[in-house]
Amino acid sequence: MKEFFPEIPHIKYEGKDTKNPMAFRFYDPDEVIAGKKMRDHLKFAVAYWHTMCAGGSDMFGVGTHDKSLGADDEMELARRKAHAMFELLDKLSVDYFCFHDRDIAPEGRCLAESNERLDEISDIIAGLMKDTGKKLLWGTANCFNNPRYMHGAGTSPNADVFAYAAAQIKKAIEVTVKLGGNGYVYWGGREGYETLLNTDMGLELENMARLLKITSEYGRKIGFKGDYYIEPKPKEPTKHQYDFDAATVIGFLNAHGLSKDFKLNIEANHATLAGHTFQHELAFARVNGAFGSIDANMGDMLLGWDTDQFPTNVYDTTTCMLEVLKAGGFTNGGLNFDAKARRGSNTWEDTVYAHIAGMDAFALGLRMALKIIEDGRIDAFVANRYSSYNEGIGKKIVDGTATIEELEAYALNMGEVMTNTSGRQEYLENVFNSILF
Ligand code: XUL
Ligand code: CO
């Protein structure tokens, strides 16, 4: 197929002083730092739904960015989108992509036709992957857009909807396996409720677990070796989403015997909607052995919804990459730009600038996180802060050998706690800044 974006060059690393807008300042894909190429530390992915599909429409207006690619019917558009996507991946030096079933092929008049359409387009994508070496970070199913899902998919009060969702997810997993996907994401689109006046919460939660179980087991049966991820989000579109945040999801997975097979896909904007920092959600997933993948974006602290902006806040990308490095780096996961250029940034050049900005912000975050680790002052401070657990009564507490009687005797003998030392928050914040700048 023809080149879709002749005006967009291959984006190259030119270093931080370049004035070329179509260049990277901090992302040098093949530069080896801390034993790995930057591209393998960061594992960037382009999100099909934003980059190839979202035209900037919102509830006050229609799209502003024409993404029709000169096609005059929806299947021709789907074919062109696949080629245009791979052109962008190549020009941006991004190795991975992610999609919902309905992003790559429009829904047909019935499930069978939708499945045929997926077969056709996934054949095209398989060919493009073979030619370019690009990889699928994860696939997923859009079980929230069609009116049939107005009350949820697995949590719908209507059993027919549950069956339809199960069948749709089965096909989406098959396509993910066909394309060698490293992961499969479940984002609970409309799995939540608006009012408890009409909701059987117990049954809905049980059914949500049933849908996860039956579809994920099927994936294993057909040879899916990647990771399953749940993507927490507290609200939007429903008032209360069941996958509220990392803690809620981990509790849910444990309660339903699913924790062995599921990890988390943490999205920055979802974290802040839940009243957490992005770093909190990543750390919570990590310490619970559930860190998997990341939807890299940012929200706007003044707005109460999911703005899905490209991430440019270097504090957040630095703390994020600190967590990724502490987790031992990505295995099957990566950094998926679940992000869109603003409605007023309505050209393909803007979409490219947006990816460059996000990639450079994360490249800088990686470089800064490594500097913080190498500097060692913050880690040494934290280790020292907990050093009372390395010996004496602290060691016995951690080992699980201290009895309650022993703790009581120790406390009675101590009289009063005399050794609480300062947490030194402001000092540490200044250390952090001094390393960054
Ligand atoms: C919605 C969202 C989704 C998931 C995949 O807020 O983040 O795009 O990432 O369904
Ligand atoms: Co997301």
PDB file of all heavy atoms in Angstrom, residues 278-279 282 312-326 360-373 378 432-433 435-437:
ATOM      1  N   PHE A 278      -0.159   7.681  40.667  1.00  0.00           N
ATOM      2  CA  PHE A 278       0.229   6.617  39.720  1.00  0.00           C
ATOM      3  C   PHE A 278       1.225   5.691  40.429  1.00  0.00           C
ATOM      4  O   PHE A 278       1.099   4.461  40.373  1.00  0.00           O
ATOM      5  CB  PHE A 278       0.859   7.339  38.517  1.00  0.00           C
ATOM      6  CG  PHE A 278       1.297   6.498  37.360  1.00  0.00           C
ATOM      7  CD1 PHE A 278       0.761   5.249  37.092  1.00  0.00           C
ATOM      8  CD2 PHE A 278       2.262   7.010  36.486  1.00  0.00           C
ATOM      9  CE1 PHE A 278       1.181   4.512  35.986  1.00  0.00           C
ATOM     10  CE2 PHE A 278       2.682   6.286  35.384  1.00  0.00           C
ATOM     11  CZ  PHE A 278       2.149   5.034  35.145  1.00  0.00           C
ATOM     12  N   GLN A 279       2.180   6.294  41.125  1.00  0.00           N
ATOM     13  CA  GLN A 279       3.212   5.489  41.786  1.00  0.00           C
ATOM     14  C   GLN A 279       2.601   4.574  42.858  1.00  0.00           C
ATOM     15  O   GLN A 279       3.016   3.432  43.013  1.00  0.00           O
ATOM     16  CB  GLN A 279       4.268   6.401  42.422  1.00  0.00           C
ATOM     17  CG  GLN A 279       5.457   5.611  42.963  1.00  0.00           C
ATOM     18  CD  GLN A 279       6.482   6.490  43.658  1.00  0.00           C
ATOM     19  OE1 GLN A 279       6.216   7.647  43.974  1.00  0.00           O
ATOM     20  NE2 GLN A 279       7.653   5.936  43.906  1.00  0.00           N
ATOM     21  N   LEU A 282       1.219   1.493  41.178  1.00  0.00           N
ATOM     22  CA  LEU A 282       2.297   0.622  40.695  1.00  0.00           C
ATOM     23  C   LEU A 282       2.960  -0.105  41.861  1.00  0.00           C
ATOM     24  O   LEU A 282       3.230  -1.311  41.798  1.00  0.00           O
ATOM     25  CB  LEU A 282       3.345   1.448  39.942  1.00  0.00           C
ATOM     26  CG  LEU A 282       2.865   2.050  38.620  1.00  0.00           C
ATOM     27  CD1 LEU A 282       3.829   3.138  38.150  1.00  0.00           C
ATOM     28  CD2 LEU A 282       2.730   0.969  37.556  1.00  0.00           C
ATOM     29  N   THR A 312       3.554  13.774  29.958  1.00  0.00           N
ATOM     30  CA  THR A 312       4.719  14.660  29.799  1.00  0.00           C
ATOM     31  C   THR A 312       5.268  15.112  31.151  1.00  0.00           C
ATOM     32  O   THR A 312       6.204  15.899  31.195  1.00  0.00           O
ATOM     33  CB  THR A 312       4.344  15.910  28.968  1.00  0.00           C
ATOM     34  OG1 THR A 312       3.183  16.506  29.541  1.00  0.00           O
ATOM     35  CG2 THR A 312       4.076  15.562  27.508  1.00  0.00           C
ATOM     36  N   ASN A 313       4.679  14.615  32.233  1.00  0.00           N
ATOM     37  CA  ASN A 313       5.125  15.032  33.564  1.00  0.00           C
ATOM     38  C   ASN A 313       6.304  14.158  33.999  1.00  0.00           C
ATOM     39  O   ASN A 313       6.146  12.970  34.278  1.00  0.00           O
ATOM     40  CB  ASN A 313       3.939  14.898  34.530  1.00  0.00           C
ATOM     41  CG  ASN A 313       4.300  15.333  35.928  1.00  0.00           C
ATOM     42  OD1 ASN A 313       5.410  15.066  36.404  1.00  0.00           O
ATOM     43  ND2 ASN A 313       3.383  15.997  36.592  1.00  0.00           N
ATOM     44  N   VAL A 314       7.474  14.770  34.048  1.00  0.00           N
ATOM     45  CA  VAL A 314       8.699  13.981  34.268  1.00  0.00           C
ATOM     46  C   VAL A 314       8.799  13.434  35.705  1.00  0.00           C
ATOM     47  O   VAL A 314       9.388  12.375  35.924  1.00  0.00           O
ATOM     48  CB  VAL A 314       9.949  14.805  33.882  1.00  0.00           C
ATOM     49  CG1 VAL A 314      11.228  14.034  34.157  1.00  0.00           C
ATOM     50  CG2 VAL A 314       9.880  15.150  32.392  1.00  0.00           C
ATOM     51  N   TYR A 315       8.184  14.115  36.672  1.00  0.00           N
ATOM     52  CA  TYR A 315       8.162  13.534  38.025  1.00  0.00           C
ATOM     53  C   TYR A 315       7.438  12.181  37.985  1.00  0.00           C
ATOM     54  O   TYR A 315       7.878  11.197  38.565  1.00  0.00           O
ATOM     55  CB  TYR A 315       7.421  14.444  39.006  1.00  0.00           C
ATOM     56  CG  TYR A 315       8.266  15.582  39.517  1.00  0.00           C
ATOM     57  CD1 TYR A 315       8.178  16.834  38.958  1.00  0.00           C
ATOM     58  CD2 TYR A 315       9.160  15.376  40.564  1.00  0.00           C
ATOM     59  CE1 TYR A 315       8.954  17.883  39.415  1.00  0.00           C
ATOM     60  CE2 TYR A 315       9.943  16.407  41.034  1.00  0.00           C
ATOM     61  CZ  TYR A 315       9.835  17.661  40.455  1.00  0.00           C
ATOM     62  OH  TYR A 315      10.609  18.685  40.912  1.00  0.00           O
ATOM     63  N   ASP A 316       6.293  12.175  37.291  1.00  0.00           N
ATOM     64  CA  ASP A 316       5.504  10.937  37.242  1.00  0.00           C
ATOM     65  C   ASP A 316       6.199   9.840  36.437  1.00  0.00           C
ATOM     66  O   ASP A 316       6.150   8.672  36.803  1.00  0.00           O
ATOM     67  CB  ASP A 316       4.118  11.209  36.652  1.00  0.00           C
ATOM     68  CG  ASP A 316       3.200  11.854  37.670  1.00  0.00           C
ATOM     69  OD1 ASP A 316       3.513  11.803  38.872  1.00  0.00           O
ATOM     70  OD2 ASP A 316       2.171  12.424  37.261  1.00  0.00           O
ATOM     71  N   THR A 317       6.835  10.223  35.322  1.00  0.00           N
ATOM     72  CA  THR A 317       7.501   9.174  34.538  1.00  0.00           C
ATOM     73  C   THR A 317       8.714   8.644  35.311  1.00  0.00           C
ATOM     74  O   THR A 317       9.034   7.467  35.225  1.00  0.00           O
ATOM     75  CB  THR A 317       7.916   9.674  33.139  1.00  0.00           C
ATOM     76  OG1 THR A 317       8.833  10.766  33.265  1.00  0.00           O
ATOM     77  CG2 THR A 317       6.720  10.094  32.311  1.00  0.00           C
ATOM     78  N   THR A 318       9.355   9.516  36.102  1.00  0.00           N
ATOM     79  CA  THR A 318      10.521   9.067  36.885  1.00  0.00           C
ATOM     80  C   THR A 318      10.087   8.113  38.000  1.00  0.00           C
ATOM     81  O   THR A 318      10.664   7.026  38.157  1.00  0.00           O
ATOM     82  CB  THR A 318      11.256  10.286  37.496  1.00  0.00           C
ATOM     83  OG1 THR A 318      11.678  11.143  36.436  1.00  0.00           O
ATOM     84  CG2 THR A 318      12.463   9.843  38.311  1.00  0.00           C
ATOM     85  N   THR A 319       9.051   8.494  38.752  1.00  0.00           N
ATOM     86  CA  THR A 319       8.620   7.600  39.832  1.00  0.00           C
ATOM     87  C   THR A 319       8.053   6.305  39.245  1.00  0.00           C
ATOM     88  O   THR A 319       8.226   5.223  39.818  1.00  0.00           O
ATOM     89  CB  THR A 319       7.590   8.277  40.755  1.00  0.00           C
ATOM     90  OG1 THR A 319       6.556   8.850  39.965  1.00  0.00           O
ATOM     91  CG2 THR A 319       8.242   9.355  41.601  1.00  0.00           C
ATOM     92  N   CYS A 320       7.409   6.407  38.087  1.00  0.00           N
ATOM     93  CA  CYS A 320       6.907   5.196  37.423  1.00  0.00           C
ATOM     94  C   CYS A 320       8.073   4.268  37.075  1.00  0.00           C
ATOM     95  O   CYS A 320       8.039   3.069  37.382  1.00  0.00           O
ATOM     96  CB  CYS A 320       6.118   5.570  36.174  1.00  0.00           C
ATOM     97  SG  CYS A 320       5.690   4.152  35.146  1.00  0.00           S
ATOM     98  N   MET A 321       9.101   4.820  36.442  1.00  0.00           N
ATOM     99  CA  MET A 321      10.213   3.958  36.021  1.00  0.00           C
ATOM    100  C   MET A 321      10.988   3.422  37.229  1.00  0.00           C
ATOM    101  O   MET A 321      11.554   2.328  37.167  1.00  0.00           O
ATOM    102  CB  MET A 321      11.125   4.688  35.031  1.00  0.00           C
ATOM    103  CG  MET A 321      10.495   4.900  33.660  1.00  0.00           C
ATOM    104  SD  MET A 321       9.620   3.463  32.954  1.00  0.00           S
ATOM    105  CE  MET A 321      10.977   2.308  32.745  1.00  0.00           C
ATOM    106  N   LEU A 322      10.983   4.176  38.338  1.00  0.00           N
ATOM    107  CA  LEU A 322      11.582   3.633  39.572  1.00  0.00           C
ATOM    108  C   LEU A 322      10.844   2.355  39.983  1.00  0.00           C
ATOM    109  O   LEU A 322      11.464   1.350  40.341  1.00  0.00           O
ATOM    110  CB  LEU A 322      11.474   4.654  40.712  1.00  0.00           C
ATOM    111  CG  LEU A 322      12.654   5.587  40.938  1.00  0.00           C
ATOM    112  CD1 LEU A 322      12.284   6.634  41.995  1.00  0.00           C
ATOM    113  CD2 LEU A 322      13.917   4.827  41.371  1.00  0.00           C
ATOM    114  N   GLU A 323       9.526   2.417  39.924  1.00  0.00           N
ATOM    115  CA  GLU A 323       8.730   1.227  40.282  1.00  0.00           C
ATOM    116  C   GLU A 323       8.969   0.082  39.298  1.00  0.00           C
ATOM    117  O   GLU A 323       9.075  -1.078  39.702  1.00  0.00           O
ATOM    118  CB  GLU A 323       7.235   1.571  40.324  1.00  0.00           C
ATOM    119  CG  GLU A 323       6.835   2.432  41.489  1.00  0.00           C
ATOM    120  CD  GLU A 323       7.130   1.767  42.837  1.00  0.00           C
ATOM    121  OE1 GLU A 323       7.022   0.527  42.952  1.00  0.00           O
ATOM    122  OE2 GLU A 323       7.487   2.502  43.768  1.00  0.00           O
ATOM    123  N   VAL A 324       9.048   0.415  38.015  1.00  0.00           N
ATOM    124  CA  VAL A 324       9.288  -0.637  37.007  1.00  0.00           C
ATOM    125  C   VAL A 324      10.647  -1.299  37.277  1.00  0.00           C
ATOM    126  O   VAL A 324      10.765  -2.531  37.259  1.00  0.00           O
ATOM    127  CB  VAL A 324       9.223  -0.057  35.571  1.00  0.00           C
ATOM    128  CG1 VAL A 324       9.642  -1.096  34.544  1.00  0.00           C
ATOM    129  CG2 VAL A 324       7.816   0.456  35.261  1.00  0.00           C
ATOM    130  N   LEU A 325      11.651  -0.489  37.561  1.00  0.00           N
ATOM    131  CA  LEU A 325      12.993  -1.049  37.809  1.00  0.00           C
ATOM    132  C   LEU A 325      12.987  -1.887  39.090  1.00  0.00           C
ATOM    133  O   LEU A 325      13.588  -2.963  39.138  1.00  0.00           O
ATOM    134  CB  LEU A 325      14.034   0.074  37.903  1.00  0.00           C
ATOM    135  CG  LEU A 325      14.301   0.810  36.573  1.00  0.00           C
ATOM    136  CD1 LEU A 325      15.086   2.099  36.817  1.00  0.00           C
ATOM    137  CD2 LEU A 325      15.044  -0.077  35.569  1.00  0.00           C
ATOM    138  N   LYS A 326      12.282  -1.407  40.115  1.00  0.00           N
ATOM    139  CA  LYS A 326      12.195  -2.185  41.367  1.00  0.00           C
ATOM    140  C   LYS A 326      11.482  -3.514  41.148  1.00  0.00           C
ATOM    141  O   LYS A 326      11.750  -4.486  41.841  1.00  0.00           O
ATOM    142  CB  LYS A 326      11.443  -1.391  42.442  1.00  0.00           C
ATOM    143  CG  LYS A 326      12.296  -0.330  43.096  1.00  0.00           C
ATOM    144  CD  LYS A 326      11.535   0.289  44.254  1.00  0.00           C
ATOM    145  CE  LYS A 326      12.234   1.546  44.726  1.00  0.00           C
ATOM    146  NZ  LYS A 326      11.371   2.368  45.589  1.00  0.00           N
ATOM    147  N   ASP A 360       9.730  10.677  24.890  1.00  0.00           N
ATOM    148  CA  ASP A 360      10.841  11.420  25.482  1.00  0.00           C
ATOM    149  C   ASP A 360      10.649  11.566  26.999  1.00  0.00           C
ATOM    150  O   ASP A 360      11.613  11.471  27.764  1.00  0.00           O
ATOM    151  CB  ASP A 360      10.964  12.803  24.827  1.00  0.00           C
ATOM    152  CG  ASP A 360      12.014  12.820  23.713  1.00  0.00           C
ATOM    153  OD1 ASP A 360      12.862  11.898  23.668  1.00  0.00           O
ATOM    154  OD2 ASP A 360      12.002  13.766  22.907  1.00  0.00           O
ATOM    155  N   ALA A 361       9.409  11.794  27.437  1.00  0.00           N
ATOM    156  CA  ALA A 361       9.173  11.954  28.879  1.00  0.00           C
ATOM    157  C   ALA A 361       9.498  10.648  29.618  1.00  0.00           C
ATOM    158  O   ALA A 361      10.067  10.670  30.719  1.00  0.00           O
ATOM    159  CB  ALA A 361       7.724  12.362  29.139  1.00  0.00           C
ATOM    160  N   PHE A 362       9.154   9.513  29.018  1.00  0.00           N
ATOM    161  CA  PHE A 362       9.478   8.234  29.676  1.00  0.00           C
ATOM    162  C   PHE A 362      10.961   7.897  29.561  1.00  0.00           C
ATOM    163  O   PHE A 362      11.542   7.306  30.472  1.00  0.00           O
ATOM    164  CB  PHE A 362       8.598   7.101  29.133  1.00  0.00           C
ATOM    165  CG  PHE A 362       7.398   6.901  30.010  1.00  0.00           C
ATOM    166  CD1 PHE A 362       6.189   7.484  29.681  1.00  0.00           C
ATOM    167  CD2 PHE A 362       7.489   6.182  31.192  1.00  0.00           C
ATOM    168  CE1 PHE A 362       5.093   7.343  30.515  1.00  0.00           C
ATOM    169  CE2 PHE A 362       6.406   6.036  32.032  1.00  0.00           C
ATOM    170  CZ  PHE A 362       5.195   6.617  31.690  1.00  0.00           C
ATOM    171  N   ALA A 363      11.592   8.280  28.439  1.00  0.00           N
ATOM    172  CA  ALA A 363      13.033   8.043  28.305  1.00  0.00           C
ATOM    173  C   ALA A 363      13.777   8.845  29.371  1.00  0.00           C
ATOM    174  O   ALA A 363      14.700   8.348  30.028  1.00  0.00           O
ATOM    175  CB  ALA A 363      13.496   8.430  26.911  1.00  0.00           C
ATOM    176  N   LEU A 364      13.321  10.086  29.561  1.00  0.00           N
ATOM    177  CA  LEU A 364      13.917  10.933  30.599  1.00  0.00           C
ATOM    178  C   LEU A 364      13.638  10.328  31.978  1.00  0.00           C
ATOM    179  O   LEU A 364      14.526  10.284  32.837  1.00  0.00           O
ATOM    180  CB  LEU A 364      13.318  12.342  30.463  1.00  0.00           C
ATOM    181  CG  LEU A 364      13.959  13.495  31.186  1.00  0.00           C
ATOM    182  CD1 LEU A 364      15.461  13.561  30.935  1.00  0.00           C
ATOM    183  CD2 LEU A 364      13.308  14.805  30.718  1.00  0.00           C
ATOM    184  N   GLY A 365      12.429   9.864  32.171  1.00  0.00           N
ATOM    185  CA  GLY A 365      12.073   9.224  33.441  1.00  0.00           C
ATOM    186  C   GLY A 365      12.955   8.022  33.727  1.00  0.00           C
ATOM    187  O   GLY A 365      13.411   7.823  34.866  1.00  0.00           O
ATOM    188  N   LEU A 366      13.217   7.225  32.705  1.00  0.00           N
ATOM    189  CA  LEU A 366      14.100   6.054  32.876  1.00  0.00           C
ATOM    190  C   LEU A 366      15.508   6.515  33.252  1.00  0.00           C
ATOM    191  O   LEU A 366      16.120   5.995  34.199  1.00  0.00           O
ATOM    192  CB  LEU A 366      14.146   5.232  31.581  1.00  0.00           C
ATOM    193  CG  LEU A 366      15.214   4.134  31.531  1.00  0.00           C
ATOM    194  CD1 LEU A 366      14.936   3.036  32.563  1.00  0.00           C
ATOM    195  CD2 LEU A 366      15.289   3.524  30.125  1.00  0.00           C
ATOM    196  N   ARG A 367      16.015   7.496  32.517  1.00  0.00           N
ATOM    197  CA  ARG A 367      17.378   7.984  32.810  1.00  0.00           C
ATOM    198  C   ARG A 367      17.454   8.531  34.233  1.00  0.00           C
ATOM    199  O   ARG A 367      18.424   8.291  34.956  1.00  0.00           O
ATOM    200  CB  ARG A 367      17.778   9.084  31.809  1.00  0.00           C
ATOM    201  CG  ARG A 367      17.963   8.577  30.361  1.00  0.00           C
ATOM    202  CD  ARG A 367      18.351   9.731  29.442  1.00  0.00           C
ATOM    203  NE  ARG A 367      18.306   9.389  28.027  1.00  0.00           N
ATOM    204  CZ  ARG A 367      19.284   8.789  27.345  1.00  0.00           C
ATOM    205  NH1 ARG A 367      20.402   8.439  27.959  1.00  0.00           N
ATOM    206  NH2 ARG A 367      19.148   8.529  26.059  1.00  0.00           N
ATOM    207  N   MET A 368      16.415   9.269  34.643  1.00  0.00           N
ATOM    208  CA  MET A 368      16.407   9.866  35.986  1.00  0.00           C
ATOM    209  C   MET A 368      16.257   8.790  37.070  1.00  0.00           C
ATOM    210  O   MET A 368      16.899   8.852  38.114  1.00  0.00           O
ATOM    211  CB  MET A 368      15.266  10.893  36.100  1.00  0.00           C
ATOM    212  CG  MET A 368      15.472  12.113  35.252  1.00  0.00           C
ATOM    213  SD  MET A 368      17.017  12.940  35.682  1.00  0.00           S
ATOM    214  CE  MET A 368      17.582  13.438  34.079  1.00  0.00           C
ATOM    215  N   ALA A 369      15.410   7.815  36.818  1.00  0.00           N
ATOM    216  CA  ALA A 369      15.210   6.742  37.807  1.00  0.00           C
ATOM    217  C   ALA A 369      16.529   5.997  38.034  1.00  0.00           C
ATOM    218  O   ALA A 369      16.885   5.665  39.175  1.00  0.00           O
ATOM    219  CB  ALA A 369      14.123   5.787  37.328  1.00  0.00           C
ATOM    220  N   LEU A 370      17.256   5.761  36.957  1.00  0.00           N
ATOM    221  CA  LEU A 370      18.552   5.077  37.099  1.00  0.00           C
ATOM    222  C   LEU A 370      19.539   5.943  37.885  1.00  0.00           C
ATOM    223  O   LEU A 370      20.324   5.434  38.697  1.00  0.00           O
ATOM    224  CB  LEU A 370      19.117   4.702  35.728  1.00  0.00           C
ATOM    225  CG  LEU A 370      18.400   3.522  35.059  1.00  0.00           C
ATOM    226  CD1 LEU A 370      18.757   3.422  33.581  1.00  0.00           C
ATOM    227  CD2 LEU A 370      18.719   2.205  35.778  1.00  0.00           C
ATOM    228  N   LYS A 371      19.476   7.262  37.672  1.00  0.00           N
ATOM    229  CA  LYS A 371      20.365   8.164  38.433  1.00  0.00           C
ATOM    230  C   LYS A 371      20.024   8.132  39.928  1.00  0.00           C
ATOM    231  O   LYS A 371      20.913   8.185  40.782  1.00  0.00           O
ATOM    232  CB  LYS A 371      20.226   9.603  37.918  1.00  0.00           C
ATOM    233  CG  LYS A 371      21.148   9.900  36.736  1.00  0.00           C
ATOM    234  CD  LYS A 371      20.866  11.245  36.126  1.00  0.00           C
ATOM    235  CE  LYS A 371      21.643  12.373  36.798  1.00  0.00           C
ATOM    236  NZ  LYS A 371      21.526  13.636  36.024  1.00  0.00           N
ATOM    237  N   ILE A 372      18.736   8.074  40.219  1.00  0.00           N
ATOM    238  CA  ILE A 372      18.314   8.046  41.628  1.00  0.00           C
ATOM    239  C   ILE A 372      18.806   6.762  42.301  1.00  0.00           C
ATOM    240  O   ILE A 372      19.300   6.768  43.431  1.00  0.00           O
ATOM    241  CB  ILE A 372      16.779   8.211  41.727  1.00  0.00           C
ATOM    242  CG1 ILE A 372      16.429   9.663  41.418  1.00  0.00           C
ATOM    243  CG2 ILE A 372      16.250   7.796  43.098  1.00  0.00           C
ATOM    244  CD1 ILE A 372      14.969   9.919  41.144  1.00  0.00           C
ATOM    245  N   ILE A 373      18.691   5.649  41.563  1.00  0.00           N
ATOM    246  CA  ILE A 373      19.149   4.367  42.118  1.00  0.00           C
ATOM    247  C   ILE A 373      20.667   4.399  42.298  1.00  0.00           C
ATOM    248  O   ILE A 373      21.190   4.008  43.342  1.00  0.00           O
ATOM    249  CB  ILE A 373      18.708   3.201  41.206  1.00  0.00           C
ATOM    250  CG1 ILE A 373      17.184   3.057  41.272  1.00  0.00           C
ATOM    251  CG2 ILE A 373      19.398   1.886  41.615  1.00  0.00           C
ATOM    252  CD1 ILE A 373      16.588   2.109  40.255  1.00  0.00           C
ATOM    253  N   ILE A 378      18.432   7.865  48.531  1.00  0.00           N
ATOM    254  CA  ILE A 378      17.029   7.651  48.930  1.00  0.00           C
ATOM    255  C   ILE A 378      16.825   6.204  49.374  1.00  0.00           C
ATOM    256  O   ILE A 378      16.250   5.941  50.441  1.00  0.00           O
ATOM    257  CB  ILE A 378      16.061   8.075  47.794  1.00  0.00           C
ATOM    258  CG1 ILE A 378      16.183   9.591  47.606  1.00  0.00           C
ATOM    259  CG2 ILE A 378      14.641   7.656  48.107  1.00  0.00           C
ATOM    260  CD1 ILE A 378      15.380  10.168  46.460  1.00  0.00           C
ATOM    261  N   PHE A 432      15.714  14.404  45.692  1.00  0.00           N
ATOM    262  CA  PHE A 432      15.083  13.983  44.431  1.00  0.00           C
ATOM    263  C   PHE A 432      15.270  15.075  43.359  1.00  0.00           C
ATOM    264  O   PHE A 432      15.743  14.805  42.247  1.00  0.00           O
ATOM    265  CB  PHE A 432      13.590  13.724  44.695  1.00  0.00           C
ATOM    266  CG  PHE A 432      12.905  12.916  43.632  1.00  0.00           C
ATOM    267  CD1 PHE A 432      12.751  11.549  43.767  1.00  0.00           C
ATOM    268  CD2 PHE A 432      12.377  13.532  42.498  1.00  0.00           C
ATOM    269  CE1 PHE A 432      12.096  10.796  42.788  1.00  0.00           C
ATOM    270  CE2 PHE A 432      11.733  12.792  41.518  1.00  0.00           C
ATOM    271  CZ  PHE A 432      11.590  11.419  41.669  1.00  0.00           C
ATOM    272  N   ASN A 433      14.918  16.310  43.723  1.00  0.00           N
ATOM    273  CA  ASN A 433      15.070  17.420  42.766  1.00  0.00           C
ATOM    274  C   ASN A 433      16.523  17.613  42.348  1.00  0.00           C
ATOM    275  O   ASN A 433      16.811  17.872  41.185  1.00  0.00           O
ATOM    276  CB  ASN A 433      14.563  18.724  43.385  1.00  0.00           C
ATOM    277  CG  ASN A 433      13.073  18.845  43.281  1.00  0.00           C
ATOM    278  OD1 ASN A 433      12.427  18.083  42.582  1.00  0.00           O
ATOM    279  ND2 ASN A 433      12.505  19.801  44.001  1.00  0.00           N
ATOM    280  N   ILE A 435      18.849  15.532  42.107  1.00  0.00           N
ATOM    281  CA  ILE A 435      19.308  14.491  41.161  1.00  0.00           C
ATOM    282  C   ILE A 435      18.691  14.756  39.781  1.00  0.00           C
ATOM    283  O   ILE A 435      19.369  14.627  38.757  1.00  0.00           O
ATOM    284  CB  ILE A 435      18.945  13.085  41.681  1.00  0.00           C
ATOM    285  CG1 ILE A 435      19.676  12.814  43.007  1.00  0.00           C
ATOM    286  CG2 ILE A 435      19.335  12.016  40.649  1.00  0.00           C
ATOM    287  CD1 ILE A 435      19.198  11.575  43.732  1.00  0.00           C
ATOM    288  N   LEU A 436      17.432  15.161  39.762  1.00  0.00           N
ATOM    289  CA  LEU A 436      16.775  15.399  38.470  1.00  0.00           C
ATOM    290  C   LEU A 436      17.361  16.606  37.731  1.00  0.00           C
ATOM    291  O   LEU A 436      17.483  16.593  36.510  1.00  0.00           O
ATOM    292  CB  LEU A 436      15.272  15.639  38.676  1.00  0.00           C
ATOM    293  CG  LEU A 436      14.352  14.497  38.295  1.00  0.00           C
ATOM    294  CD1 LEU A 436      14.615  13.256  39.092  1.00  0.00           C
ATOM    295  CD2 LEU A 436      12.895  14.891  38.434  1.00  0.00           C
ATOM    296  N   PHE A 437      17.665  17.648  38.467  1.00  0.00           N
ATOM    297  CA  PHE A 437      18.067  18.895  37.772  1.00  0.00           C
ATOM    298  C   PHE A 437      19.520  19.231  38.044  1.00  0.00           C
ATOM    299  O   PHE A 437      19.843  20.100  38.791  1.00  0.00           O
ATOM    300  CB  PHE A 437      17.141  20.040  38.192  1.00  0.00           C
ATOM    301  CG  PHE A 437      15.692  19.702  37.901  1.00  0.00           C
ATOM    302  CD1 PHE A 437      14.832  19.322  38.924  1.00  0.00           C
ATOM    303  CD2 PHE A 437      15.226  19.705  36.605  1.00  0.00           C
ATOM    304  CE1 PHE A 437      13.509  18.980  38.652  1.00  0.00           C
ATOM    305  CE2 PHE A 437      13.903  19.374  36.333  1.00  0.00           C
ATOM    306  CZ  PHE A 437      13.044  19.013  37.344  1.00  0.00           C
TER     307      PHE A 437
END
